[in-house]
Amino acid sequence: MSGAGSKKVAVVAGDGIGPEVIESALAVLDGAGAKFELIHVEIGLARWKKTGLAMSEEDLETLKECDCILFGAISTPPDPNYKSVLLRIRKELDLYANIRPFQSQDLDFIIVRENTEGLYSGLEEVGVEESHTMRVITRRGSERIAKKACELAARRKKLTIIHKSNVLKSDCLFLETCRAVAAGRGVLCDDMLVDAAAYNLVVNPQRFDVLVTTNLFGDILSDEAAGVIGSLGLCASANLGTDHALFEPIHGSAPDIAGKGVANPVGAIRSAAMMMQWLGEPEKARRMEAAVQRALACGAKTPDLGGDCGTADVTKAVVENLRIF
Ligand code: ATP
């Protein structure tokens, strides 16, 4: 897949179904004519089992040196002292904006999740009788995620700020800051409590366009949104910062189906398409998405969507459809 003077893409296949769906994404990128140098980096549980380390400082440097990262999924090692590698990567590379598009025949909305603070600040005191986790909301963090969300909403219909400011006073700062950014940019905006948003995502998802929210709320609402769309396996994401970008399906390593060849590769393929868009190849990204949609419409579906295709069948169908578009 390499080309002279080409961009460098770090590939972290990871654990569980990560390597299976990344293999599929790479096959589709190849079929779309993508040209870049792939740098494979072993990070995660398999690495931890071999070396006692899930990710080294050198790995982190490699990730920083590449133009962007294509990420599968990693499992959490059974170590009480282990801290999430993905959270560390998001923090170290300052990947503050997690953009998660959800599309189906009649739905089209985007969850923009703040990715570096909130309840995932990592500031914890763990005791036997009592434990504390610090929820961090800053004006700077709220402002920059609101700006990212407004960039998207300005090209679409409207922004909805999701919060719990009636109970969590830290969310007053988030809400007020997001409102000010939206007003300053002339973006149509409303807001909703997170519990109401969880309900509305199920009963009236058409009311949403671009949602912006804090870290934990975004994490939970995204999985719910994936269920509304049809499967976790369909959904992609971009983790964007100022200098770095990481693209990953929103699902985890799914150990329950790993190695069975039935993982839905669409989320990983769509993540690779988002990567192509970000790398300045919108035509390849468009062809990849069109090929996915046509393959699904022709019945290339894994069991999570009620089909009986394997990961390899769906990949083949998408690659074949690339020739049409
Ligand atoms: P992790 O601890 O890595 O987050 P998990 O099993 O807790 O793993 P997910 O990997 O997100 O969380 O899986 C949740 C459920 O969704 C599992 O039953 C899994 O089999 C299913 N699932 C996730 N991704 C896919 C996929 N790509 N194709 C089919 N099913 C999937």
Side-chain angles (χ1 to χ4, degrees), residues 12-19 21-22 43-45 70-76 86 248-254:
V12 179
D15 306 302
I17 62 170
V21 297
I22 287 298
I43 287 173
L45 181 60
L70 183 61
F71 195 93
I74 51 182
S75 303
T76 304
L86 186 54
E248 56 167 344
I250 77 165
H251 60 74
S253 63

Side-chain angles (χ1 to χ4, degrees), residues 17 21 74-75 223 231-233 251-257 262-264 304:
I17 62 170
V21 297
I74 51 182
S75 303
D223 272 28
S231 169
L232 262 180
H251 60 74
S253 63
D256 54 336
I257 56 166
V262 294
N264 189 340
D304 55 309

